[in-house]
Amino acid sequence: MQKALKNIEGEIIVFDNASADGSKTFFENRFPGVRFIWNHENLGFGKANNEAFKFAGGDVILFLNPDTILPEDCLEKSLAFIHSQKEGCALGVRMVDGSGTFLKESKRSFPGPLTSFFKLSGLSFLFPKSKIFARYYLGNLPGNTSNEVDVLAGAFIMIPRKIFSAVSGFDEDFFMYGEDIDLSYRIQKAGFRNYYFAGTTILHFKGESTKKGSLNYVRMFYKAMSIFVKKHYGSSRARFYNLFIQSGIVARAGVSALARFLKWTGLPVMDALLIFLSFWLGKIFWNEVKPDIAFDNNLLWIAFPVFSLLFLTAAYYSGLYDDGYMQSRLNKSTVIAALVLFTVYAFLPLEFQFSRGVLLLSILVAYVLLTLTRLLFASMKIIQKKEQDLNAHIAIVGSVKEFEEVMQVISFLNKKDEVLGRIFINDPDKDSLGGLEDIAGLIRNGRLTNLIFCNGALSCKQIIGSVESLPRGIHSGIFTPGCKAIIESYDPKAAGEFYAATEYFRLSNPLYRRAKRLLDVGFAIFFLITFPVHLILKRRPGVFIRNCLKVLFGKRTFVGYGSSFGNLPVLRPGLITSTGQPLKKINLPVQAVEQSDFLYAKNYSVFTDFGLIRHNYQALS
C-alpha cells in the first residue's frame, strides 16, 4: 500500500475491529507512517468503515480489505479513471485469488429473485457466459474489459468523498456481508455510477472472518440478503425473494450441517462401524483361507470392539481427523494404528489372542474401506480433499539475501528439505535454478510444485502477473522482507495462511495439541487410580483429586501459561504454569514469565510437561 501511494498525496488508516490475535502488539510500532485505530469491540464491517471515514481527510476514499496486495500503479490508474468520469462514479477493480484465479465477485449484479434463482439452481454454473442465466456474476461481460456494473466488491471500493457523504455511508444494520451491495444500490439511486475497472489487478487472499462452509456464514449471509430485500424491494417482490432466501438457507445449512456432522461426529462414528465390520470380514476371509481354525465368538465380541476402538484412537492421535482429507494422512494413521494393535496383541495372554492373520487382514480391509468412503465424500464435496505436499518442490524467486531470509522461515516450518533452490531476478549465480523465464520449463519438467515470490527484488505488479500465469495446481506464496513472513492461499473458498519465523509455535500444530491432551488424560487417570498413595503424599489430597478430575474432563490442563501474552496458541487454565509455579504464586518479573510462555509454546514437547509435572508434583494441588 505504501508503495502504491508513492506518487500520490494520501494517508493510510487501519481500523482494527477488536482483534484477539495480538495484532496490536505486532503492528503498532512497525509502520510509523500508518495511523492505527484500535477498537475494543467488533463493530461490524459497515460501522467500522464509517468510523474510519471520520478520520480520513482525502477527496477520494479507498475502502480496502487487509487481505489484499496492490500493484504499485493501482491507485494512480484507478484515480485517473474516476477523474475521467465527469458524472461521478465509484470504482471496483479486477481481483484474483492466491492461486491466480479470477474472482467472479469482482463484477456482480443486484441479487434479484430470478438472478438468485439461476445462481441457486446451478444454471449460472451450466451457462457461465449467459447474459440471462449468469447474470449474478455478469458472466457475459469479459473480465479484462472495464464496464459499468451494479455491485462493487467490499474488498476494494474507491469512492469520492462527496458521493460517500451523499449516500450517508455504509448502512450499519448490516453487520457483515451485504454492506457493499446496499452501498452500491444507493450510489446508483443517487444518480451516480459503479464501474468495474479492469485496468489494474489486485490479489485478494479472501481471509474472511467467517468460514464459507460454516453454518454461521450461511446465517449471516442470508440475513444480510433479507435486510437488503426488505429495504429496497417492494413487499410482493420481497416475499417472493425471501422464499428463495429461505430455500437457500435450508439447502446450505443442510450441506453445512452434514459436513460438520461428518467431521466431528459422523465420520469417526462411520469409521468405527467400518473398522468393526473390517474385523468381521477379516475373520470370514481368514476362515476361507484356513477353515480348520475355530474362533470363540464370545471372545471376538469383546476383542473386535476393543481393537476397533484402539484403531480409531490411534488414528485420531496420528492426525486422521485434521482439517481436510489427505490420503497420505490416512496412510500414516493406518500404519500407526497397525503398530499399536500388534503391540497390544503381543502383550495379551495366549487365551485372548485370536489370530495375527485376522488382525492383519482386518487392518488391510479397514484401510480400503476408509479410503473408498473418503473418496466418495470428497467427490460429493461433503468433505474437502486437500492436495498432498509430501513431494513438494519449492523454488524461491528473489535475491540471494531474500532467499536466505525465506529459508529462516521455512526452517521453522520443517520444510527445508523441500526447497530446490533460488530463481534469480537480476543476480544469477552458479547455484540458481534459472531466471523468471525458466519457471515455465521447470514446471513442465515436473521439478516445481510451489513458488515463493519475494516482494523486494520483485514488484507487487510483477508478482501478481507471475501468479496469474502459473498453471493450475502450482501453489504460490508471497514473502515480505523485514516482516519475515510468508502468505499463502490455495483455496478460493478459504482464508489465506500466514507463516512467520518469529511466530511458529508447536502448540499451534494439532499433532502436538493432541499429544498434550493425551498426556493430560494419562496423568489424570494414573493419579486417580493411585489415589491412596496421594492421601499420604499430598498436603491437600481432596483439592488434588478435584483438579485431576477437571483435567480429565477438559476443564483444566496440568501445564498452562503464566501470562496473558496475546500471540500464543490458546490453552486451558493450567494447574501449574510454564515456570513450574501455580499462577497465583508466580514470583518472577512479567517479562520473564512471558518469555517462559513463549518458549514453552514454541518448543513444546510432551517431555516438557512430563518434567514440569514430575518436579512440581506438590504444586498440582
Side-chain angles (χ1 to χ4, degrees):
M1 186 64 178
Q2 289 176 322
K3 292 179 180 179
L5 278 172
K6 184 177 180 181
N7 299 318
I8 298 171
E9 184 181 352
E11 60 184 343
I12 302 173
I13 299 172
V14 175
F15 193 97
D16 182 88
N17 241 349
S19 295
D21 58 356
S23 294
K24 184 175 182 180
T25 303
F26 184 83
F27 286 108
E28 195 167 28
N29 298 316
R30 287 176 183 258
F31 301 96
V34 177
R35 182 172 187 175
F36 288 94
I37 302 169
W38 307 102
N39 199 38
H40 298 296
E41 61 176 317
N42 188 352
L43 302 178
F45 180 86
K47 190 171 183 179
N49 276 319
N50 286 343
E51 289 294 316
F53 174 74
K54 296 175 183 178
F55 294 92
D59 293 329
V60 178
I61 310 297
L62 172 62
F63 295 100
L64 182 71
N65 273 20
D67 53 344
T68 53
I69 292 179
L70 308 185
E72 288 75 7
D73 58 359
C74 172
L75 299 184
E76 290 184 67
K77 288 184 174 181
S78 299
L79 284 169
F81 186 90
I82 279 186
H83 292 318
S84 71
Q85 305 299 312
K86 295 180 180 180
E87 69 276 15
C89 74
L91 184 77
V93 296
R94 185 175 183 272
M95 300 187 295
V96 297
D97 65 20
S99 66
T101 303
F102 174 69
L103 292 172
K104 294 184 291 184
E105 58 263 37
S106 300
K107 50 184 179 66
R108 286 178 291 169
S109 65
F110 292 122
L114 280 177
T115 302
S116 299
F117 172 74
F118 294 145
K119 183 177 185 295
L120 287 170
S121 65
L123 288 170
S124 62
F125 176 79
L126 294 174
F127 305 100
K129 295 186 178 181
S130 168
K131 186 175 182 179
I132 298 174
F133 297 128
R135 178 165 174 74
Y136 187 83
Y137 288 123
L138 298 173
N140 61 304
L141 299 180
N144 56 0
T145 303
S146 300
N147 281 285
E148 185 176 351
V149 296
D150 287 335
V151 177
L152 305 174
F156 183 111
I157 296 178
M158 182 175 281
I159 182 171
R161 170 182 288 275
K162 63 178 183 179
I163 296 179
F164 191 74
S165 297
V167 298
S168 302
F170 288 100
D171 186 338
E172 296 177 7
D173 286 341
F174 297 86
F175 184 81
M176 184 181 291
Y177 309 116
E179 306 94 334
D180 48 1
I181 299 175
D182 175 76
L183 180 68
S184 300
Y185 188 89
R186 288 185 286 115
I187 289 172
Q188 283 193 356
K189 292 284 284 185
F192 304 105
R193 296 185 177 185
N194 297 314
Y195 275 97
Y196 162 72
F197 179 51
T200 187
T201 300
I202 72 169
L203 198 154
H204 182 205
F205 286 107
K206 297 176 71 66
E208 300 174 57
S209 300
T210 307
K211 294 183 179 180
K212 287 207 166 186
S214 71
L215 289 173
N216 194 38
Y217 164 77
V218 174
R219 179 184 62 80
M220 294 179 68
F221 179 79
Y222 284 108
K223 181 182 179 182
M225 292 301 96
S226 181
I227 293 172
F228 177 82
V229 168
K230 289 176 183 177
K231 180 178 177 180
H232 296 297
Y233 293 170
S235 57
S236 58
R237 289 185 71 193
R239 283 195 298 271
F240 181 56
Y241 185 66
N242 272 321
L243 176 64
F244 288 106
I245 289 178
Q246 296 305 320
S247 300
I249 291 174
V250 171
R252 290 288 299 275
V255 173
S256 296
L258 179 59
R260 288 172 67 84
F261 174 76
L262 282 174
K263 179 179 179 180
W264 299 113
T265 307
L267 199 57
V269 169
M270 182 195 71
D271 287 350
L273 294 174
L274 289 175
I275 294 166
F276 183 73
L277 175 64
S278 300
F279 276 101
W280 282 103
L281 292 175
K283 169 183 171 293
I284 293 171
F285 293 155
W286 195 250
N287 270 336
E288 293 295 323
V289 176
K290 294 192 173 184
D292 54 319
I293 297 179
F295 295 102
D296 184 343
N297 283 330
N298 290 328
L299 171 62
L300 296 182
W301 274 112
I302 298 172
F304 285 1
V306 170
F307 273 75
S308 298
L309 182 61
L310 285 173
F311 188 112
L312 198 65
T313 303
Y316 168 76
Y317 279 102
S318 57
L320 181 60
Y321 299 104
D322 287 351
D323 188 35
Y325 156 56
M326 287 178 62
Q327 187 61 38
S328 61
R329 197 179 289 153
L330 178 59
N331 297 344
K332 182 183 75 172
S333 299
T334 304
V335 170
I336 292 174
L339 291 173
V340 170
L341 292 181
F342 276 106
T343 301
V344 171
Y345 182 90
F347 282 99
L348 288 176
L350 289 176
E351 60 268 25
F352 293 109
Q353 294 182 356
F354 44 91
S355 169
R356 287 186 177 86
V358 171
L359 191 57
L360 178 61
L361 194 55
S362 301
I363 292 169
L364 293 175
V365 172
Y367 172 73
V368 171
L369 291 179
L370 294 178
T371 299
L372 291 176
T373 52
R374 276 161 174 73
L375 289 174
L376 175 64
F377 285 135
S379 67
M380 296 170 64
K381 308 296 183 184
I382 293 174
I383 61 174
Q384 181 187 1
K385 184 176 181 180
K386 290 197 170 184
E387 295 185 33
Q388 300 179 47
D389 60 356
L390 294 179
N391 298 311
H393 295 155
I394 303 171
I396 298 166
V397 187
S399 67
V400 174
K401 183 180 179 182
E402 289 167 342
F403 176 82
E404 292 171 353
E405 286 189 58
V406 175
M407 289 303 294
Q408 291 179 21
V409 180
I410 286 182
S411 296
F412 278 93
L413 301 176
N414 296 319
K415 292 185 177 183
K416 193 172 181 179
D417 294 339
E418 298 174 8
V419 177
L420 289 180
R422 182 178 75 95
I423 292 176
F424 66 83
I425 310 300
N426 299 312
D427 54 343
D429 60 27
K430 61 182 179 64
D431 296 321
S432 59
L433 300 173
L436 283 173
E437 67 279 2
D438 299 312
I439 290 178
L442 291 168
I443 292 173
R444 278 197 304 271
N445 294 335
R447 294 191 65 195
L448 289 183
T449 59
N450 296 57
L451 285 159
I452 298 175
F453 296 95
C454 298
N455 180 213
L458 284 172
S459 67
C460 292
K461 187 173 183 178
Q462 286 177 305
I463 290 174
I464 294 171
S466 298
V467 170
E468 277 195 273
S469 67
L470 293 177
R472 187 175 180 83
I474 302 299
H475 294 163
S476 65
I478 297 175
F479 173 74
T480 305
C483 289
K484 296 187 176 182
I486 299 172
I487 303 172
E488 297 178 341
S489 179
Y490 306 146
D491 185 354
K493 294 183 179 179
E497 295 183 85
F498 175 87
Y499 302 110
T502 57
E503 296 186 348
Y504 179 73
F505 299 109
R506 282 186 172 181
L507 276 180
S508 296
N509 187 319
L511 190 63
Y512 284 97
R513 294 184 72 85
R514 281 194 299 272
K516 179 175 175 61
R517 178 61 185 150
L518 187 61
L519 182 134
D520 275 351
V521 171
F523 261 114
I525 292 174
F526 172 76
F527 286 144
L528 291 171
I529 291 174
T530 57
F531 173 63
V533 176
H534 307 297
L535 284 173
I536 302 170
L537 298 178
K538 298 294 290 183
R539 290 189 294 269
R540 301 168 68 196
V543 174
F544 176 67
I545 294 304
R546 186 166 65 248
N547 285 343
C548 289
L549 288 171
K550 288 179 179 179
V551 171
L552 183 64
F553 292 108
K555 302 296 184 182
R556 302 287 294 270
T557 180
F558 278 110
V559 183
Y561 299 136
S563 69
S564 56
F565 190 56
N567 287 332
L568 303 180
V570 176
L571 288 180
R572 299 175 180 89
L575 300 183
I576 57 174
T577 67
S578 64
T579 66
Q581 301 170 334
L583 184 61
K584 294 181 178 179
K585 294 187 177 182
I586 294 178
N587 55 8
L588 297 170
V590 173
Q591 188 175 359
V593 179
E594 288 182 350
Q595 180 67 7
S596 175
D597 288 345
F598 178 86
L599 294 174
Y600 175 76
K602 185 174 185 243
N603 304 314
Y604 177 77
S605 163
V606 290
F607 296 107
T608 305
D609 275 5
F610 186 88
L612 285 168
I613 293 169
R614 184 168 64 89
H615 288 107
N616 300 280
Y617 166 76
Q618 287 296 340
L620 297 176
S621 57

